[in-house]
């Protein structure tokens, strides 16, 4: 009489192992898919929450020609002062739909830095059309940043 371990022959046992491994692989794949979906949702919300656009000379000149109020935010990802300014600028941007905000990357946008005569990151510049109406560097006080932006209206 043949021995039957785990309730069946070797073929049945191998089939159960394959089924278990397949189910575990599907479980892992589902987990990875959910993680990727969650990351995509978080990224979408972070992009929606901050609508500033990268500085582009042509669109900047168009906004100036249209007489818009413009905030140029010169920042660096490694700058702690810039990180403190970011939520303030984002909040002002949300509250002020007529404000056009451009981000200038301090590390890579050297032509823009020369154009705006900027020597330091964490510089905020406000324009009303073609006229510069205010500038600050290193300020993290929300009231003063709001007052700076208000000069453009």
């Amino acid at each position: 009489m043949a021995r039957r371990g785990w309730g069946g022959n070797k073929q049945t046992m191998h089939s159960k192992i394959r089924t278990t491994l397949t189910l575990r692989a599907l479980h892992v794949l589902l987990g990875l898919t959910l993680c990727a979906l969650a990351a995509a949702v978080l990224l979408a919300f972070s992009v929606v929450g901050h609508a500033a656009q990268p500085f582009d000379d042509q669109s900047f000149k168009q906004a100036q020609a249209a007489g818009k109020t413009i905030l140029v935010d010169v920042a660096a990802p490694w700058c702690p002062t810039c990180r403190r300014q970011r939520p303030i600028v984002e909040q002002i941007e949300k509250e002020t739909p007529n404000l056009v905000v451009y981000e200038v990357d301090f590390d890579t946008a050297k032509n823009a830095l020369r154009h705006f005569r900027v020597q330091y990151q964490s510089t905020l510049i406000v324009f009303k059309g073609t006229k510069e109406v205010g500038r600050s560097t290193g300020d993290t006080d929300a009231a003063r940043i709001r007052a700076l932006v208000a000069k453009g209206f």
Side-chain angles (χ1 to χ4, degrees):
M1 184 156 150
R3 278 184 78 182
R4 293 178 177 244
W6 294 352
N9 61 23
K10 284 184 181 181
Q11 193 173 15
T12 303
M13 182 174 66
H14 289 294
S15 177
K16 286 181 181 179
I17 290 171
R18 271 193 303 264
T19 301
T20 301
L21 291 175
T22 301
L23 288 173
R24 286 185 181 162
L26 287 172
H27 186 256
V28 168
L29 184 60
L30 178 62
L32 290 172
T33 303
L34 289 174
C35 285
L37 181 61
V41 167
L42 289 173
L43 180 62
F45 278 117
S46 70
V47 169
V48 169
H50 188 59
Q53 52 193 307
F55 178 78
D56 171 78
D57 193 51
Q58 184 177 359
S59 66
F60 175 74
K61 287 178 181 173
Q62 288 173 348
Q64 283 187 309
K68 301 218 179 229
T69 299
I70 303 164
L71 173 63
V72 176
D73 179 3
V74 180
W78 47 263
C79 169
T81 303
C82 302
R83 283 194 293 271
R84 286 194 300 277
Q85 287 177 335
R86 178 66 30 114
I88 299 165
V89 170
E90 287 176 353
Q91 187 62 39
I92 293 169
E93 189 176 15
K94 284 180 194 174
E95 296 169 356
T96 318
N98 296 330
L99 178 66
V100 178
V101 180
Y102 290 101
E103 284 185 359
V104 175
D105 186 308
F106 182 78
D107 294 328
T108 61
K110 298 304 181 187
N111 286 339
L113 297 179
R114 279 190 291 279
H115 173 80
F116 292 118
R117 298 174 323 278
V118 171
Q119 295 179 344
Y120 305 102
Q121 71 280 358
S122 73
T123 298
L124 302 172
I125 310 167
V126 178
F127 291 86
K128 178 61 176 176
T130 58
K131 183 177 186 214
E132 181 178 324
V133 294
R135 178 182 292 236
S136 74
T137 300
D139 196 350
T140 58
D141 181 83
R144 284 193 302 261
I145 293 173
R146 286 180 183 283
L148 175 71
V149 172
K151 291 179 181 182
F153 290 97

